[in-house]
Structure formats: structure tokens, C-alpha cells
Amino acid sequence: ELCEHHHREDNMADDELYVTIEKAFWPRGIVRTLAPALRELGDKHGGLVLVANQPKGHIMVKGPLDKIEEVKPALQGLIEEHFPDAPTPEELMPGGGGGGGVGGGGPGFGQQQQQQQQQQQQQ
């Protein structure tokens, strides 16, 4: 009986976060380089499962909620590296898109700001 209870608790402890990246931003063959990077990131954060799903246009993060929260900044860095043109996924913004400078003005605001930053870098 105890085993069963423990097992059930394990299942409950796992949360899932789907980080959406529009399919237009996924380069061909990205998963080949992204998958090992995600695996490594998951290992560093207590064995989280991070899976890139290109057909659905998202990255699934599965594990205990505190670990998921912990991995968000690193995952955001990874996404910026592999998807340089994609806007920051809402799921990774602090407080779900409020604050953090970018995205504070509602949808579209963050993208506009990013475009300005990119233009400045090009000059």
C-alpha cells in the first residue's frame, strides 16, 4: 500500500510546462542540435525532461515545479541562442509577461522593443 502511495505522489510532483515558439522560427534540422543541449540542461537541473517538439512548435519541460522555475532563465538563454529571431516565449517571462522590461506593455510591445535592439546592434 505504501509503495502505491509513494508512486502516486511521484506522479503528482511532476509538472509540465510548454514553452511555445512559433513554427516559423524553427530552422530546419534544429532539433538535432537542440535535443542534446536540452538534455544537458535537464541533467544539470536535477534530471528535468526537456523535449523539443518541432511539429507542435513547443519545448516541453517536465519535472518538479521548483526545478522548472529554476531552469527557466537558462532555457531562455538556450532559446535565444537557437532561435535568435523568435520573441521571448511568454511562458519564460517573469510573472507571465508582466515586468522584466520587455513585454510589459502587453502583446506586441516586447517584439517591437526587440526589433529596435536588433537595429541598434546592426549599426
Side-chain angles (χ1 to χ4, degrees), residues 21-55:
I21 299 160
E22 278 182 55
K23 281 185 273 203
F25 294 113
W26 293 66
R28 268 181 61 166
I30 175 117
V31 175
R32 271 207 305 275
T33 52
L34 190 57
L38 287 171
R39 224 181 354 256
E40 195 181 317
L41 191 61
D43 288 344
K44 277 187 202 158
H45 289 266
L48 279 174
V49 179
L50 288 91
V51 182
N53 188 329
Q54 187 164 4

Side-chain angles (χ1 to χ4, degrees), residues 63-104:
L65 189 59
D66 58 337
K67 295 281 180 209
I68 291 178
E69 287 298 326
E70 200 180 278
V71 81
K72 280 183 183 180
L75 179 58
Q76 189 181 331
L78 201 68
I79 288 170
E80 281 166 9
E81 188 186 320
H82 288 271
F83 304 90
D85 301 324
T88 301
E90 266 177 59
E91 296 86 353
L92 296 179
M93 289 183 181
V102 179

Side-chain angles (χ1 to χ4, degrees), residues 91-114:
E91 296 86 353
L92 296 179
M93 289 183 181
V102 179
F109 177 75
Q111 280 168 318
Q112 205 176 355
Q113 219 176 23
Q114 273 186 332

Side-chain angles (χ1 to χ4, degrees), residues 11-17 48 60-66 68:
N11 287 349
M12 280 167 52
D14 274 0
D15 267 275
E16 284 177 14
L17 171 73
L48 279 174
M60 183 191 84
V61 187
K62 188 172 195 269
L65 189 59
D66 58 337
I68 291 178

